[in-house]
Amino acid sequence: MSVIIASPAGGIALKTSRRRLLAGIFLCLAGLGIGIWTLASGDYPLTFYEILDVVRGGGDETARMVVMEWRLPRFLAALVAGAMLGLAGALFQSVFRNPLASPDVMGFDAGAHFGAVVAMLVFGGGFFLVAGGALSGGAVAALAVYLFVARGLSGFRLIVVGIGIGQLFFAASQWLLLQAGEEAAVAVASWGLGSLNDMDKSRLAYLGISAVLLVPPGLLLARSLRQLELGDAIARGTGLDPGRTRLSAILVGLALSALVTALVGPIGFIALVAPQIARRLTADGDVALVHAALAGSILLGASDLLAQKIPSGMPLPVGVVTLVLGGLWFFWLLLRSGRVGTS
Amino acid sequence: MNYRLQLDRVSAAYEGVSVLKDISLVLPDGVFTAIMGANGSGKSTLLKLLGGAVAPVAGKILLDGKPVSALRPRHLARDIAMLPQFPLAPDGIRVAELVMRGRFPHQTMFRQWSAADRTAVDAAMAQAGVADLAHRLVSTLSGGQRQRVWIALVLAQDTPILLLDEPTSFLDIAYQVELMALLSELSERGRTIVAVLHDINQASRHASHLVMLAGGQVIAAGRPDEVVRAETMRAVFRLESVIVPDPVTFTPMVVPSELRRNR
Amino acid sequence: MTARLGLAVALASSMLCILALASLAIGAKSLPLGEVLAALTGDASDVANEIVAMRVPRMLLAILAGIGFALAGAVMQAVTRNVLADPGIMGVNAGASLAVVLCVALTGMAQPMTLVWAAMGGALVTGALVQIFSSLGGATALRLVLCGVAMSAIAGGAGWAVTLSDPDLFRRVLVWGAGSLIVTDFEPVRAVAPFVLAGVLLTLVLGPRLNAIALGNDLARSLGVGIAGTQMAAAASVVVLAGAATSATGPVGFVGLLAPLAARAVVGVDQRAILALTALLGPVLLLSADLLARVVLPQGEAPLGIVMAFAGAPVLIALAYRIGDL
Ligand SMILES: Nc1ncnc2c1ncn2[C@@H]1O[C@H](COP(=O)(O)OP(=O)(O)O)[C@@H](O)[C@H]1O
Ligand SMILES: [Mg+2]
């Protein structure tokens, strides 16, 4: 059932469907639920009304501190990073026409991680250096994969190439870490698994700025990607420049996932799973970028909540949780379908 | 004879291997042109050149006297629609949605739907005979039904010029005849149709302009009775044949006279 | 035995001997070859005697682990008829190492023998899971690899979660988890050797059957080879070999991919020949990697797994690129 949202004169007319709207509302509500749970639970439990007070600007000092300084920044970081990853994955999966082509599986995140490790250990770090390192590392990995695409590699074989490139960068980062000695290694290792444990306001701000700069251009690509999925010939025949669309989507997707890697660490599987969930929810064969971003937020928010709930000697990085959940999702997929299509 | 679309001394090659050599050709307005030739003779390449999907290595493809390569893809797409041989349908898409995607060049970021879109899509689906499939999943259709959905998509694009690469493939004989009739009807109403066809007899029945390719060159071009001749068949397909009048339409009809080809 | 196989085996054996001697000679303090040979018979200087005595177990362990990883890979590739099957890619090593980490975390014990059993248990569970999930609806190459990715992710994530529960454990596992060979006594060698030997014997018996399996399950059955039985025996040998090897060195990937690949390139399609040569090339690979690691990182914390990844990942990429339909 399509739904048209239009201005009276018809100058603006956006098309969506009831199912899409409902799916979007469902995802938002789920996010709200996880948010309240995250803000309420912990060593210092709060009731819903206490949280409401704090958010309205009231509440006692401890509650303010707990919510505004600790829990809210962390939860917001999960939402923003998750949305960026979900969107990045949706862009790549659409461009490569392959539900497995996400920046984590294809080794782009490993590349970005390597770049960030180099920036930290060799040049000493700082947001712009680490972000620059992550961007260039991710770009090198993507370029390597793209060289194979340009030679006509696709589908399953491309995924194996991506896995190989990822392993290479992963080994390189590990080597650097062991080189750096135990102290540095232990310090970087927690970030190396993807963690929101010491999220502070300045990092949240960087994350927010990255999202504001990159998410809108990413979402605006939906119309072109939809056309590109019909094949280059139809896309061109209906007035699209396939090369330019592909390049923009890859650049935006790469920047999204590399910046998350720089700020939070390499978080696996969100970029892979969120777009798949989004497509299942909307179920109309159309690209679902907004839904993928929402699903990414919720997945990362829920994983981080889980990471906080599991008792552990050292704080558990959220990347460990997404690794296990992502693996389980894979098994579920394999169980459900006789085949996981890649072609 | 008026024409908007023209090839001027065009050559095409893939990775240095020449496919078409120095071709000059006009495609008359409001006429159904059929492109024919042996497998691999460059028919699809010729169509891709016309649609701007392949760049020539020499020569120019002109629309209204301007090189196609200089036009913005979007503007070109309002004049020329092209149905490739192997388009891709996303998983889980329904027929009406797929046909709607032919409206892309008429839409903008903020105007993704208009009443004109609806009318064009409905008309295209009716013409292609897929109106009653509108809500079916494309993945559940037969090859012939799917082919008609793609034809609906390019019809919905609503362009004066239509390029179709082997549009009759997968269609049963009744739908083939129906599609041919639809294409001639569209051309009678003023649209320019350029289609790659395999069945010479069908082409000479329905198309009024034939182009025969062989060896990277245009061997013959013109009315069916000028092109469909025993000499042409021999030159293009190395096939001995007798040309007789079609018993229904009296257009030329090829009857092979030798069952074994001496290639 | 063909002349080609004979030549290959002779070459691989002499390479193995040279590398074994080199791994006794080269290290934080390198010794001349004469002194190494003298030390082996016990009549070198005291210092040299001691250094060589410390390096012998490490060398033996590298050989055993090399045999284990490589043969496990060869058997998996033969049974699945898939060149990408490797205990590392398929997640078996990750499962074995999760079991080792769990064992240390829960019992605090790090006796080599306990660890071998734990690793084999982990390999058994993950191997069985991969087998079950990949064969639902037909074991295609894609399903196998996806299963491996999923298994590695779950075992890896769970391993980290366990490790991070205890900062002390974390420090110890960080090095082992990258794949290393820091041993100075014979106890791990004694623990691992019987299992590797058992695995080798099992694969010897399997050789001819694997040749039949290579022709497809239907034809193999009509040749009188029991499919289920062969698969079971193959699985058992993979579990024993990969489990024992992982307990010795941590999860080292790609040996099981590279060694059989090289063997197949040299001796062709006969599984018996492939297995024989693989058993020599595995240790050659691992000893070279260990030597390289020692030269590059002389502090002695040898990231074997890292060296192997540098060697193996490009080959994996080349395989995906070159091979038509997997
Ligand atoms: N993308 C391509 N790359 C290389 N060669 C191509 C490509 N497309 C077509 N060719 C070659 O060009 C020739 C003409 O192809 P095509 O125009 O598709 O022929 P037709 O449509 O008449 O069968 C063939 O020999 C074909 O192999
Ligand atoms: Mg063709």
Side-chain angles (χ1 to χ4, degrees):
Chain A
M1 180 59 55
S2 22
V3 175
I4 311 291
I5 302 165
S7 65
I12 294 177
L14 303 177
K15 187 158 155 289
T16 181
S17 70
R18 203 155 67 194
R19 177 156 184 155
R20 281 181 166 247
L21 288 175
L22 287 177
I25 292 169
F26 165 75
L27 287 171
C28 290
L29 288 179
L32 199 64
I34 291 168
I36 292 170
W37 194 355
T38 306
L39 295 184
S41 65
D43 290 338
Y44 184 88
L46 293 169
T47 67
F48 176 67
Y49 294 102
E50 284 171 316
I51 296 171
L52 211 59
D53 272 348
V54 170
V55 174
R56 283 215 197 103
D60 67 74
E61 204 166 311
T62 325
R64 282 200 73 75
M65 169 88 166
V66 166
V67 172
M68 302 308 274
E69 299 295 321
W70 300 343
R71 292 183 189 165
L72 193 59
R74 179 170 182 162
F75 178 65
L76 287 180
L79 288 189
V80 174
M84 291 168 76
L85 289 174
L87 179 57
L91 292 174
F92 284 117
Q93 289 178 16
S94 174
V95 163
F96 289 106
R97 292 193 194 101
N98 187 330
L100 296 177
S102 68
D104 39 5
V105 177
M106 305 277 280
F108 303 166
D109 284 357
H113 180 221
F114 174 71
V117 168
V118 171
M120 277 184 196
L121 294 182
V122 181
F123 300 108
F127 169 72
F128 289 101
L129 261 178
V130 173
L135 281 171
S136 7
V140 169
L143 199 66
V145 170
Y146 202 80
L147 285 182
F148 286 94
V149 178
R151 295 166 143 227
L153 206 65
S154 66
F156 169 55
R157 299 198 288 151
L158 189 61
I159 299 300
V160 176
V161 166
I163 291 175
I165 287 172
Q167 297 259 11
L168 217 49
F169 277 110
F170 177 71
S173 320
Q174 267 205 319
W175 184 64
L176 275 184
L177 288 179
L178 286 176
Q179 279 282 65
E182 206 171 280
E183 286 301 302
V186 173
V188 185
S190 161
W191 166 77
L193 291 165
S195 170
L196 295 166
N197 288 327
D198 34 79
M199 180 53 61
D200 52 36
K201 280 193 174 157
S202 75
R203 271 208 290 164
L204 177 60
Y206 282 128
L207 206 54
I209 292 168
S210 316
V212 166
L213 289 179
L214 291 168
V215 170
L219 292 178
L220 287 181
L221 282 166
R223 221 169 70 88
S224 307
L225 289 175
R226 171 183 307 150
Q227 214 62 15
L228 196 62
E229 288 190 358
L230 305 178
D232 279 16
I234 291 265
R236 193 181 289 104
T238 51
L240 190 79
D241 183 339
R244 228 177 58 191
T245 303
R246 237 192 305 274
L247 187 65
S248 329
I250 289 176
L251 287 181
V252 174
L254 207 56
L256 282 166
S257 60
L259 286 174
V260 172
T261 304
L263 286 161
V264 186
I267 294 183
F269 286 106
I270 301 286
L272 178 84
V273 176
Q276 293 186 7
I277 290 180
R279 285 225 173 192
R280 265 155 213 271
L281 283 177
T282 53
D284 53 8
D286 200 347
V287 288
L289 301 186
V290 176
H291 292 79
L294 288 175
S297 288
I298 289 165
L299 282 178
L300 196 56
S303 303
D304 194 43
L305 184 60
L306 201 59
Q308 297 177 51
K309 289 272 167 274
I310 296 172
S312 175
M314 292 155 84
L316 209 54
V318 65
V320 167
V321 175
T322 65
L323 215 53
V324 175
L325 291 181
L328 292 175
W329 165 267
F330 252 117
F331 274 133
W332 181 75
L333 271 189
L334 288 167
L335 200 63
R336 258 191 94 247
S337 65
R339 69 209 149 78
V340 178
T342 55
S343 51
Chain B
M1 188 172 62
N2 294 325
Y3 59 85
R4 296 182 65 193
L5 198 53
Q6 174 193 13
L7 285 93
D8 183 18
R9 310 204 58 181
V10 168
S11 300
Y14 291 106
E15 287 145 20
V17 181
S18 168
V19 175
L20 297 174
K21 293 172 213 107
D22 202 23
I23 288 190
S24 293
L25 192 66
V26 298
L27 294 147
D29 289 349
V31 165
F32 179 177
T33 301
I35 300 190
M36 290 177 295
N39 291 334
S41 58
K43 306 181 292 295
S44 297
T45 306
L46 180 63
L47 222 56
K48 285 180 193 158
L49 285 165
L50 292 172
V54 165
V57 290
K60 284 197 219 73
I61 297 110
L62 303 170
L63 177 68
D64 300 329
K66 274 173 284 183
V68 163
S69 54
L71 291 171
R72 299 250 321 270
R74 213 180 158 71
H75 290 155
L76 192 62
R78 290 190 195 137
D79 273 321
I80 303 180
M82 161 135 167
L83 176 62
Q85 232 171 328
F86 306 108
L88 303 170
D91 280 345
I93 195 167
R94 286 174 199 277
V95 169
E97 280 303 316
L98 186 58
V99 175
M100 183 57 100
R101 294 198 187 180
R103 298 298 295 168
F104 183 81
H106 304 281
Q107 297 169 335
T108 63
M109 188 65 74
F110 298 106
R111 203 173 46 74
Q112 301 185 2
W113 188 91
S114 70
D117 290 341
R118 182 81 269 160
T119 322
V121 167
D122 286 345
M125 287 199 295
Q127 283 180 327
V130 292
D132 46 345
L133 301 178
H135 299 293
R136 289 274 300 275
L137 283 171
V138 173
S139 55
T140 63
L141 300 182
S142 76
Q145 289 172 323
R146 213 175 288 189
Q147 182 70 7
R148 286 185 282 131
V149 172
W150 287 113
I151 289 165
L153 183 147
V154 287
L155 290 177
Q157 201 173 330
D158 202 16
T159 53
I161 301 170
L162 261 178
L163 310 177
L164 305 140
D165 201 346
E166 303 194 15
T168 47
S169 49
F170 304 112
L171 298 186
D172 67 34
I173 185 160
Y175 275 120
Q176 286 188 18
V177 171
E178 203 169 293
L179 177 64
M180 286 295 127
L182 172 64
L183 294 181
S184 11
E185 189 193 318
L186 289 172
S187 70
E188 275 153 27
R189 290 211 231 126
R191 295 230 219 169
T192 308
I193 312 283
V194 183
V196 173
L197 294 176
H198 269 304
D199 187 327
I200 295 165
N201 299 337
Q202 219 170 42
S204 67
R205 261 186 172 198
H206 297 278
S208 42
H209 189 72
L210 303 192
V211 174
M212 195 67 87
L213 292 180
Q217 309 247 292
V218 175
I219 294 284
R223 290 193 317 271
D225 57 278
E226 293 168 336
V227 172
V228 182
R229 292 164 174 272
E231 306 92 81
T232 327
M233 291 302 115
R234 199 175 303 126
V236 175
F237 299 102
R238 307 236 182 122
L239 181 78
E240 292 303 326
S241 60
V242 180
I243 310 295
V244 299
D246 183 303
V248 178
T249 55
F250 307 108
T251 48
M253 189 166 94
V254 180
V255 180
S257 61
E258 207 180 59
L259 292 182
R260 192 186 298 199
R261 288 203 281 192
N262 43 357
R263 276 209 163 161
Chain C
M1 205 193 243
T2 64
R4 195 182 170 83
L5 176 60
L7 191 63
V9 166
L11 265 176
S13 315
S14 32
M15 261 167 82
L16 186 54
C17 291
I18 293 169
L19 283 167
L21 284 178
S23 89
L24 295 182
I26 298 171
K29 171 149 182 28
S30 293
L31 301 171
L33 198 60
E35 208 160 345
V36 171
L37 290 174
L40 284 177
T41 52
D43 39 66
S45 69
D46 283 354
V47 184
N49 276 342
E50 202 166 315
I51 291 178
V52 170
M54 271 172 57
R55 284 179 189 165
V56 167
R58 178 177 187 147
M59 181 263 285
L60 290 178
L61 206 57
I63 291 178
L64 288 171
I67 295 175
F69 284 126
L71 271 186
V75 171
M76 286 175 89
Q77 292 178 16
V79 173
T80 58
R81 290 186 285 270
N82 180 350
V83 288
L84 291 183
D86 153 83
I89 296 173
M90 306 304 300
V92 176
N93 293 353
S97 82
L98 169 62
V100 167
V101 171
L102 266 179
C103 175
V104 176
L106 293 179
T107 67
M109 279 204 299
Q111 296 302 318
M113 203 51 154
T114 327
L115 295 187
V116 174
W117 282 108
M120 288 196 306
L124 178 66
V125 173
T126 40
L129 282 176
V130 167
Q131 171 68 29
I132 292 168
F133 277 96
S134 65
S135 61
L136 290 169
T140 63
L142 174 63
R143 290 185 74 87
L144 276 172
V145 170
L146 290 188
C147 263
V149 170
M151 206 65 245
S152 308
I154 295 175
W160 278 114
V162 173
T163 315
L164 287 169
S165 65
D166 174 3
D168 198 41
L169 185 66
F170 178 75
R171 266 168 241 278
R172 276 198 286 167
V173 171
L174 195 63
V175 173
W176 181 79
S180 62
L181 270 172
I182 309 167
V183 286
T184 46
D185 60 15
F186 279 93
E187 207 185 335
V189 177
R190 273 197 292 272
V192 170
F195 294 99
V196 172
L197 197 66
V200 169
L201 290 178
L202 199 52
T203 44
L204 278 183
V205 179
L206 274 176
R209 287 158 176 267
L210 293 178
N211 270 339
I213 294 260
L215 306 173
N217 287 355
D218 292 337
L219 195 54
R221 204 174 289 115
S222 79
L223 289 172
V225 172
I227 304 301
T230 307
Q231 281 177 346
M232 211 79 92
S237 73
V238 168
V239 164
V240 173
L241 288 165
T246 303
S247 80
T249 62
V252 174
F254 292 113
V255 182
L257 181 77
L258 292 179
L261 190 74
R264 197 173 317 111
V266 174
V267 296
V269 294
D270 187 345
Q271 289 297 339
R272 292 167 302 175
I274 293 175
L275 290 172
L277 195 54
T278 299
L280 290 169
L281 290 179
V284 166
L285 267 176
L286 220 53
L287 280 175
S288 323
D290 187 33
L291 273 176
L292 195 63
R294 259 188 264 172
V295 174
V296 178
L297 270 190
Q299 304 94 307
E301 302 198 346
L304 263 189
I306 295 173
V307 178
M308 281 316 300
F310 279 128
V315 176
L316 179 68
I317 293 168
L319 269 183
Y321 184 61
R322 295 241 332 262
I323 288 172
D325 35 36
L326 292 166

